[in-house]
Every structure is written in C-alpha cells, then in structure tokens.
mmCIF file of all heavy atoms in Angstrom:
data_model
loop_
_atom_site.group_PDB
_atom_site.id
_atom_site.type_symbol
_atom_site.label_atom_id
_atom_site.label_comp_id
_atom_site.label_asym_id
_atom_site.label_seq_id
_atom_site.Cartn_x
_atom_site.Cartn_y
_atom_site.Cartn_z
ATOM 1 N N ASN Z 1 -86.369 -33.559 190.468
ATOM 2 C CA ASN Z 1 -86.094 -34.864 189.888
ATOM 3 C C ASN Z 1 -84.851 -34.831 188.944
ATOM 4 O O ASN Z 1 -84.112 -35.831 188.882
ATOM 5 C CB ASN Z 1 -87.338 -35.326 189.039
ATOM 6 C CG ASN Z 1 -88.398 -35.932 189.933
ATOM 7 O OD1 ASN Z 1 -88.211 -36.261 191.062
ATOM 8 N ND2 ASN Z 1 -89.641 -35.991 189.388
ATOM 9 N N ARG Z 2 -84.646 -33.708 188.309
ATOM 10 C CA ARG Z 2 -83.465 -33.594 187.422
ATOM 11 C C ARG Z 2 -82.173 -33.840 188.242
ATOM 12 O O ARG Z 2 -81.272 -34.590 187.849
ATOM 13 C CB ARG Z 2 -83.410 -32.185 186.801
ATOM 14 C CG ARG Z 2 -82.224 -31.968 185.861
ATOM 15 C CD ARG Z 2 -82.225 -30.591 185.266
ATOM 16 N NE ARG Z 2 -82.039 -29.609 186.322
ATOM 17 C CZ ARG Z 2 -82.977 -28.707 186.649
ATOM 18 N NH1 ARG Z 2 -84.197 -28.683 186.028
ATOM 19 N NH2 ARG Z 2 -82.798 -27.816 187.602
ATOM 20 N N ASP Z 3 -82.072 -33.210 189.392
ATOM 21 C CA ASP Z 3 -80.865 -33.323 190.272
ATOM 22 C C ASP Z 3 -80.907 -34.674 190.981
ATOM 23 O O ASP Z 3 -79.845 -35.310 191.230
ATOM 24 C CB ASP Z 3 -80.796 -32.201 191.208
ATOM 25 C CG ASP Z 3 -80.619 -30.844 190.490
ATOM 26 O OD1 ASP Z 3 -79.792 -30.803 189.534
ATOM 27 O OD2 ASP Z 3 -81.279 -29.865 190.889
ATOM 28 N N ALA Z 4 -82.119 -35.071 191.469
ATOM 29 C CA ALA Z 4 -82.211 -36.294 192.267
ATOM 30 C C ALA Z 4 -81.755 -37.512 191.492
ATOM 31 O O ALA Z 4 -81.265 -38.508 192.102
ATOM 32 C CB ALA Z 4 -83.696 -36.464 192.748
ATOM 33 N N ALA Z 5 -81.864 -37.503 190.193
ATOM 34 C CA ALA Z 5 -81.433 -38.640 189.347
ATOM 35 C C ALA Z 5 -79.925 -38.866 189.562
ATOM 36 O O ALA Z 5 -79.450 -40.012 189.358
ATOM 37 C CB ALA Z 5 -81.735 -38.364 187.907
ATOM 38 N N GLN Z 6 -79.198 -37.834 189.967
ATOM 39 C CA GLN Z 6 -77.745 -37.927 190.250
ATOM 40 C C GLN Z 6 -77.467 -37.996 191.740
ATOM 41 O O GLN Z 6 -76.292 -37.972 192.113
ATOM 42 C CB GLN Z 6 -77.039 -36.695 189.638
ATOM 43 C CG GLN Z 6 -77.392 -36.403 188.212
ATOM 44 C CD GLN Z 6 -77.008 -37.609 187.311
ATOM 45 O OE1 GLN Z 6 -75.986 -38.174 187.466
ATOM 46 N NE2 GLN Z 6 -77.951 -37.904 186.330
ATOM 47 N N GLY Z 7 -78.484 -38.136 192.523
ATOM 48 C CA GLY Z 7 -78.287 -38.191 193.981
ATOM 49 C C GLY Z 7 -77.949 -36.846 194.582
ATOM 50 O O GLY Z 7 -77.341 -36.773 195.658
ATOM 51 N N LEU Z 8 -78.393 -35.750 193.916
ATOM 52 C CA LEU Z 8 -78.015 -34.396 194.321
ATOM 53 C C LEU Z 8 -79.245 -33.590 194.790
ATOM 54 O O LEU Z 8 -80.350 -33.798 194.275
ATOM 55 C CB LEU Z 8 -77.244 -33.703 193.218
ATOM 56 C CG LEU Z 8 -75.968 -34.362 192.717
ATOM 57 C CD1 LEU Z 8 -75.458 -33.617 191.468
ATOM 58 C CD2 LEU Z 8 -74.936 -34.485 193.802
ATOM 59 N N ASP Z 9 -79.002 -32.634 195.668
ATOM 60 C CA ASP Z 9 -80.002 -31.670 196.009
ATOM 61 C C ASP Z 9 -79.356 -30.319 196.184
ATOM 62 O O ASP Z 9 -79.176 -29.862 197.319
ATOM 63 C CB ASP Z 9 -80.767 -32.095 197.281
ATOM 64 C CG ASP Z 9 -81.839 -31.101 197.691
ATOM 65 O OD1 ASP Z 9 -82.379 -30.369 196.831
ATOM 66 O OD2 ASP Z 9 -82.175 -31.041 198.906
ATOM 67 N N PRO Z 10 -78.980 -29.673 195.092
ATOM 68 C CA PRO Z 10 -78.225 -28.398 195.252
ATOM 69 C C PRO Z 10 -79.061 -27.291 195.818
ATOM 70 O O PRO Z 10 -78.587 -26.324 196.408
ATOM 71 C CB PRO Z 10 -77.857 -28.005 193.801
ATOM 72 C CG PRO Z 10 -78.806 -28.867 192.963
ATOM 73 C CD PRO Z 10 -79.060 -30.083 193.679
ATOM 74 N N ALA Z 11 -80.428 -27.453 195.764
ATOM 75 C CA ALA Z 11 -81.324 -26.416 196.297
ATOM 76 C C ALA Z 11 -81.203 -26.293 197.832
ATOM 77 O O ALA Z 11 -81.174 -25.242 198.419
ATOM 78 C CB ALA Z 11 -82.716 -26.612 195.824
ATOM 79 N N PHE Z 12 -81.249 -27.509 198.479
ATOM 80 C CA PHE Z 12 -81.304 -27.477 199.961
ATOM 81 C C PHE Z 12 -80.314 -28.430 200.618
ATOM 82 O O PHE Z 12 -80.258 -28.438 201.890
ATOM 83 C CB PHE Z 12 -82.755 -27.843 200.430
ATOM 84 C CG PHE Z 12 -83.739 -26.766 200.090
ATOM 85 C CD1 PHE Z 12 -84.529 -26.872 199.007
ATOM 86 C CD2 PHE Z 12 -83.856 -25.657 200.871
ATOM 87 C CE1 PHE Z 12 -85.449 -25.859 198.645
ATOM 88 C CE2 PHE Z 12 -84.791 -24.660 200.584
ATOM 89 C CZ PHE Z 12 -85.580 -24.731 199.430
ATOM 90 N N GLY Z 13 -79.601 -29.262 199.887
ATOM 91 C CA GLY Z 13 -78.521 -29.984 200.469
ATOM 92 C C GLY Z 13 -78.966 -31.250 201.238
ATOM 93 O O GLY Z 13 -78.325 -31.590 202.228
ATOM 94 N N ARG Z 14 -80.001 -31.913 200.851
ATOM 95 C CA ARG Z 14 -80.411 -33.148 201.483
ATOM 96 C C ARG Z 14 -79.216 -34.159 201.470
ATOM 97 O O ARG Z 14 -78.599 -34.345 200.447
ATOM 98 C CB ARG Z 14 -81.570 -33.786 200.818
ATOM 99 C CG ARG Z 14 -82.919 -33.189 201.132
ATOM 100 C CD ARG Z 14 -84.038 -33.865 200.327
ATOM 101 N NE ARG Z 14 -84.274 -35.213 200.763
ATOM 102 C CZ ARG Z 14 -85.428 -35.638 201.392
ATOM 103 N NH1 ARG Z 14 -86.363 -34.767 201.632
ATOM 104 N NH2 ARG Z 14 -85.549 -36.889 201.735
ATOM 105 N N GLY Z 15 -78.896 -34.714 202.634
ATOM 106 C CA GLY Z 15 -77.853 -35.730 202.680
ATOM 107 C C GLY Z 15 -76.478 -35.118 202.931
ATOM 108 O O GLY Z 15 -75.480 -35.872 202.910
ATOM 109 N N ASP Z 16 -76.399 -33.842 203.193
ATOM 110 C CA ASP Z 16 -75.105 -33.182 203.307
ATOM 111 C C ASP Z 16 -74.454 -33.322 204.732
ATOM 112 O O ASP Z 16 -73.303 -32.985 204.939
ATOM 113 C CB ASP Z 16 -75.178 -31.697 202.997
ATOM 114 C CG ASP Z 16 -75.189 -31.446 201.485
ATOM 115 O OD1 ASP Z 16 -75.135 -32.396 200.746
ATOM 116 O OD2 ASP Z 16 -75.310 -30.302 201.073
ATOM 117 N N THR Z 17 -75.275 -33.765 205.716
ATOM 118 C CA THR Z 17 -74.778 -33.922 207.099
ATOM 119 C C THR Z 17 -74.860 -35.313 207.596
ATOM 120 O O THR Z 17 -75.728 -36.061 207.103
ATOM 121 C CB THR Z 17 -75.514 -32.945 208.066
ATOM 122 O OG1 THR Z 17 -76.876 -33.399 208.188
ATOM 123 C CG2 THR Z 17 -75.468 -31.481 207.579
ATOM 124 N N PRO Z 18 -74.057 -35.693 208.578
ATOM 125 C CA PRO Z 18 -74.209 -37.035 209.145
ATOM 126 C C PRO Z 18 -75.633 -37.340 209.665
ATOM 127 O O PRO Z 18 -76.156 -38.413 209.485
ATOM 128 C CB PRO Z 18 -73.187 -37.032 210.283
ATOM 129 C CG PRO Z 18 -72.178 -36.032 209.898
ATOM 130 C CD PRO Z 18 -72.912 -34.972 209.114
ATOM 131 N N TYR Z 19 -76.287 -36.300 210.259
ATOM 132 C CA TYR Z 19 -77.621 -36.538 210.783
ATOM 133 C C TYR Z 19 -78.590 -36.844 209.619
ATOM 134 O O TYR Z 19 -79.431 -37.742 209.740
ATOM 135 C CB TYR Z 19 -78.125 -35.327 211.545
ATOM 136 C CG TYR Z 19 -79.582 -35.504 212.016
ATOM 137 C CD1 TYR Z 19 -79.877 -36.297 213.102
ATOM 138 C CD2 TYR Z 19 -80.620 -34.808 211.365
ATOM 139 C CE1 TYR Z 19 -81.194 -36.468 213.529
ATOM 140 C CE2 TYR Z 19 -81.911 -34.965 211.775
ATOM 141 C CZ TYR Z 19 -82.197 -35.823 212.857
ATOM 142 O OH TYR Z 19 -83.521 -35.949 213.239
ATOM 143 N N ASN Z 20 -78.503 -36.078 208.553
ATOM 144 C CA ASN Z 20 -79.353 -36.358 207.351
ATOM 145 C C ASN Z 20 -79.123 -37.820 206.922
ATOM 146 O O ASN Z 20 -80.139 -38.513 206.733
ATOM 147 C CB ASN Z 20 -78.937 -35.504 206.195
ATOM 148 C CG ASN Z 20 -79.489 -34.071 206.227
ATOM 149 O OD1 ASN Z 20 -79.359 -33.341 205.241
ATOM 150 N ND2 ASN Z 20 -80.189 -33.689 207.325
ATOM 151 N N ARG Z 21 -77.909 -38.228 206.833
ATOM 152 C CA ARG Z 21 -77.653 -39.566 206.247
ATOM 153 C C ARG Z 21 -78.102 -40.673 207.182
ATOM 154 O O ARG Z 21 -78.627 -41.677 206.716
ATOM 155 C CB ARG Z 21 -76.125 -39.700 205.952
ATOM 156 C CG ARG Z 21 -75.750 -38.762 204.782
ATOM 157 C CD ARG Z 21 -74.343 -39.007 204.295
ATOM 158 N NE ARG Z 21 -73.277 -38.612 205.286
ATOM 159 C CZ ARG Z 21 -72.778 -37.370 205.373
ATOM 160 N NH1 ARG Z 21 -73.246 -36.398 204.565
ATOM 161 N NH2 ARG Z 21 -71.865 -37.067 206.219
ATOM 162 N N VAL Z 22 -77.960 -40.461 208.483
ATOM 163 C CA VAL Z 22 -78.439 -41.493 209.430
ATOM 164 C C VAL Z 22 -79.935 -41.640 209.348
ATOM 165 O O VAL Z 22 -80.480 -42.759 209.475
ATOM 166 C CB VAL Z 22 -78.013 -41.140 210.873
ATOM 167 C CG1 VAL Z 22 -78.810 -41.870 211.921
ATOM 168 C CG2 VAL Z 22 -76.525 -41.409 211.093
ATOM 169 N N GLN Z 23 -80.653 -40.519 209.097
ATOM 170 C CA GLN Z 23 -82.120 -40.563 208.974
ATOM 171 C C GLN Z 23 -82.547 -41.132 207.688
ATOM 172 O O GLN Z 23 -83.716 -41.538 207.531
ATOM 173 C CB GLN Z 23 -82.652 -39.144 209.200
ATOM 174 C CG GLN Z 23 -82.493 -38.593 210.564
ATOM 175 C CD GLN Z 23 -83.333 -39.310 211.564
ATOM 176 O OE1 GLN Z 23 -82.876 -40.220 212.296
ATOM 177 N NE2 GLN Z 23 -84.618 -38.980 211.650
ATOM 178 N N GLY Z 24 -81.735 -41.163 206.674
ATOM 179 C CA GLY Z 24 -82.095 -41.656 205.343
ATOM 180 C C GLY Z 24 -82.121 -43.133 205.245
ATOM 181 O O GLY Z 24 -82.244 -43.866 206.330
ATOM 182 N N ASP Z 25 -81.953 -43.686 204.057
ATOM 183 C CA ASP Z 25 -81.952 -45.118 203.828
ATOM 184 C C ASP Z 25 -80.563 -45.567 203.421
ATOM 185 O O ASP Z 25 -80.147 -45.252 202.273
ATOM 186 C CB ASP Z 25 -82.992 -45.507 202.779
ATOM 187 C CG ASP Z 25 -83.098 -46.977 202.533
ATOM 188 O OD1 ASP Z 25 -82.194 -47.748 203.009
ATOM 189 O OD2 ASP Z 25 -84.074 -47.466 201.913
ATOM 190 N N PRO Z 26 -79.752 -46.215 204.267
ATOM 191 C CA PRO Z 26 -78.364 -46.469 203.932
ATOM 192 C C PRO Z 26 -78.215 -47.431 202.725
ATOM 193 O O PRO Z 26 -77.162 -47.491 202.119
ATOM 194 C CB PRO Z 26 -77.851 -47.133 205.223
ATOM 195 C CG PRO Z 26 -79.059 -47.711 205.925
ATOM 196 C CD PRO Z 26 -80.152 -46.693 205.604
ATOM 197 N N GLU Z 27 -79.330 -48.162 202.413
ATOM 198 C CA GLU Z 27 -79.276 -49.038 201.224
ATOM 199 C C GLU Z 27 -79.439 -48.281 199.916
ATOM 200 O O GLU Z 27 -79.202 -48.870 198.845
ATOM 201 C CB GLU Z 27 -80.326 -50.096 201.322
ATOM 202 C CG GLU Z 27 -80.134 -51.015 202.553
ATOM 203 C CD GLU Z 27 -81.158 -52.134 202.565
ATOM 204 O OE1 GLU Z 27 -81.965 -52.241 201.630
ATOM 205 O OE2 GLU Z 27 -81.218 -52.830 203.590
ATOM 206 N N HIS Z 28 -79.832 -47.031 199.979
ATOM 207 C CA HIS Z 28 -80.042 -46.232 198.745
ATOM 208 C C HIS Z 28 -78.829 -45.351 198.527
ATOM 209 O O HIS Z 28 -78.477 -44.514 199.398
ATOM 210 C CB HIS Z 28 -81.301 -45.367 198.878
ATOM 211 C CG HIS Z 28 -81.541 -44.589 197.644
ATOM 212 N ND1 HIS Z 28 -82.218 -45.117 196.541
ATOM 213 C CD2 HIS Z 28 -81.276 -43.295 197.350
ATOM 214 C CE1 HIS Z 28 -82.302 -44.173 195.629
ATOM 215 N NE2 HIS Z 28 -81.703 -43.067 196.054
ATOM 216 N N GLN Z 29 -78.126 -45.552 197.441
ATOM 217 C CA GLN Z 29 -76.965 -44.790 197.116
ATOM 218 C C GLN Z 29 -77.083 -44.122 195.757
ATOM 219 O O GLN Z 29 -77.827 -44.616 194.916
ATOM 220 C CB GLN Z 29 -75.743 -45.703 197.167
ATOM 221 C CG GLN Z 29 -75.447 -46.256 198.553
ATOM 222 C CD GLN Z 29 -75.156 -45.224 199.612
ATOM 223 O OE1 GLN Z 29 -74.563 -44.207 199.309
ATOM 224 N NE2 GLN Z 29 -75.599 -45.471 200.839
ATOM 225 N N PRO Z 30 -76.330 -43.067 195.468
ATOM 226 C CA PRO Z 30 -75.237 -42.513 196.290
ATOM 227 C C PRO Z 30 -75.668 -41.626 197.426
ATOM 228 O O PRO Z 30 -74.873 -41.298 198.279
ATOM 229 C CB PRO Z 30 -74.427 -41.698 195.232
ATOM 230 C CG PRO Z 30 -75.489 -41.189 194.286
ATOM 231 C CD PRO Z 30 -76.475 -42.292 194.180
ATOM 232 N N ASN Z 31 -76.900 -41.190 197.515
ATOM 233 C CA ASN Z 31 -77.280 -40.313 198.539
ATOM 234 C C ASN Z 31 -78.529 -40.963 199.245
ATOM 235 O O ASN Z 31 -79.614 -41.143 198.700
ATOM 236 C CB ASN Z 31 -77.753 -38.970 197.971
ATOM 237 C CG ASN Z 31 -78.058 -37.932 199.056
ATOM 238 O OD1 ASN Z 31 -78.482 -38.216 200.155
ATOM 239 N ND2 ASN Z 31 -77.840 -36.630 198.704
ATOM 240 N N PRO Z 32 -78.403 -41.341 200.542
ATOM 241 C CA PRO Z 32 -79.493 -42.033 201.241
ATOM 242 C C PRO Z 32 -80.724 -41.220 201.463
ATOM 243 O O PRO Z 32 -81.726 -41.733 201.967
ATOM 244 C CB PRO Z 32 -78.798 -42.436 202.559
ATOM 245 C CG PRO Z 32 -77.713 -41.476 202.749
ATOM 246 C CD PRO Z 32 -77.227 -41.158 201.396
ATOM 247 N N CYS Z 33 -80.684 -39.898 201.113
ATOM 248 C CA CYS Z 33 -81.799 -39.044 201.350
ATOM 249 C C CYS Z 33 -82.444 -38.546 200.073
ATOM 250 O O CYS Z 33 -83.459 -37.822 200.157
ATOM 251 C CB CYS Z 33 -81.331 -37.831 202.183
ATOM 252 S SG CYS Z 33 -80.622 -38.198 203.786
ATOM 253 N N VAL Z 34 -81.890 -38.874 198.939
ATOM 254 C CA VAL Z 34 -82.422 -38.343 197.679
ATOM 255 C C VAL Z 34 -82.721 -39.422 196.634
ATOM 256 O O VAL Z 34 -81.917 -40.253 196.402
ATOM 257 C CB VAL Z 34 -81.363 -37.301 197.094
ATOM 258 C CG1 VAL Z 34 -81.789 -36.836 195.752
ATOM 259 C CG2 VAL Z 34 -81.172 -36.185 198.050
ATOM 260 N N ALA Z 35 -83.946 -39.282 196.060
ATOM 261 C CA ALA Z 35 -84.300 -40.164 194.946
ATOM 262 C C ALA Z 35 -85.383 -39.411 194.196
ATOM 263 O O ALA Z 35 -86.121 -38.608 194.723
ATOM 264 C CB ALA Z 35 -84.853 -41.503 195.384
ATOM 265 N N PRO Z 36 -85.480 -39.604 192.897
ATOM 266 C CA PRO Z 36 -86.560 -38.974 192.071
ATOM 267 C C PRO Z 36 -87.919 -39.384 192.575
ATOM 268 O O PRO Z 36 -88.105 -40.467 193.140
ATOM 269 C CB PRO Z 36 -86.274 -39.455 190.638
ATOM 270 C CG PRO Z 36 -84.867 -39.895 190.693
ATOM 271 C CD PRO Z 36 -84.585 -40.413 192.051
ATOM 272 N N ILE Z 37 -88.895 -38.506 192.348
ATOM 273 C CA ILE Z 37 -90.322 -38.801 192.702
ATOM 274 C C ILE Z 37 -91.047 -39.096 191.429
ATOM 275 O O ILE Z 37 -91.017 -38.297 190.503
ATOM 276 C CB ILE Z 37 -90.912 -37.608 193.442
ATOM 277 C CG1 ILE Z 37 -90.155 -37.343 194.736
ATOM 278 C CG2 ILE Z 37 -92.361 -37.836 193.656
ATOM 279 C CD1 ILE Z 37 -90.641 -36.052 195.453
ATOM 280 N N GLY Z 38 -91.695 -40.239 191.366
ATOM 281 C CA GLY Z 38 -92.451 -40.657 190.232
ATOM 282 C C GLY Z 38 -92.103 -42.062 189.825
ATOM 283 O O GLY Z 38 -91.111 -42.678 190.408
ATOM 284 N N PRO Z 39 -92.852 -42.703 188.937
ATOM 285 C CA PRO Z 39 -93.996 -42.098 188.227
ATOM 286 C C PRO Z 39 -95.234 -41.965 189.096
ATOM 287 O O PRO Z 39 -95.231 -42.453 190.234
ATOM 288 C CB PRO Z 39 -94.221 -43.131 187.120
ATOM 289 C CG PRO Z 39 -93.820 -44.403 187.725
ATOM 290 C CD PRO Z 39 -92.609 -44.059 188.590
ATOM 291 N N ALA Z 40 -96.268 -41.304 188.604
ATOM 292 C CA ALA Z 40 -97.534 -41.203 189.234
ATOM 293 C C ALA Z 40 -98.209 -42.592 189.387
ATOM 294 O O ALA Z 40 -97.818 -43.490 188.582
ATOM 295 C CB ALA Z 40 -98.449 -40.283 188.525
ATOM 296 N N PRO Z 41 -99.071 -42.846 190.379
ATOM 297 C CA PRO Z 41 -99.766 -41.766 191.166
ATOM 298 C C PRO Z 41 -98.840 -41.220 192.228
ATOM 299 O O PRO Z 41 -97.946 -41.861 192.725
ATOM 300 C CB PRO Z 41 -100.941 -42.564 191.779
ATOM 301 C CG PRO Z 41 -100.470 -43.938 191.880
ATOM 302 C CD PRO Z 41 -99.628 -44.168 190.642
ATOM 303 N N LEU Z 42 -99.177 -39.985 192.589
ATOM 304 C CA LEU Z 42 -98.467 -39.294 193.690
ATOM 305 C C LEU Z 42 -99.435 -39.151 194.848
ATOM 306 O O LEU Z 42 -100.649 -39.090 194.729
ATOM 307 C CB LEU Z 42 -98.016 -37.918 193.191
ATOM 308 C CG LEU Z 42 -97.105 -37.871 191.981
ATOM 309 C CD1 LEU Z 42 -96.662 -36.445 191.678
ATOM 310 C CD2 LEU Z 42 -95.862 -38.782 192.180
#
C-alpha cells in the first residue's frame, strides 16, 4: 500500500509491460494495474 499510493510496485513491477497495462483498468491512473488495498473489510 505504501508504494501503491504512488502507482508503483517496485517489488514485482505490476504495470511495467504493455500486456500488464492492457489487462488493467485504463481509467485508473497513473498505473492501471496498481491501487492501494483497503479499507477493510477485505
């Protein structure tokens, strides 16, 4: 969540390839594959 708040995933690179981005949500920026998780319930 700390990195996702900035649209980043330094651990595994979600959104780093065209295939990732096509599979994500183009309306969600800056990274169509990354968003924080929460609040609960989970």
Side-chain angles (χ1 to χ4, degrees):
N1 282 342
R2 181 183 63 247
D3 296 317
Q6 309 301 317
L8 302 174
D9 180 25
F12 292 98
R14 282 178 69 113
D16 281 359
T17 66
Y19 176 76
N20 279 188
R21 293 189 289 275
V22 163
Q23 292 291 99
D25 183 345
E27 296 182 9
H28 181 83
Q29 296 299 327
N31 187 331
C33 302
V34 174
I37 298 173
L42 303 181

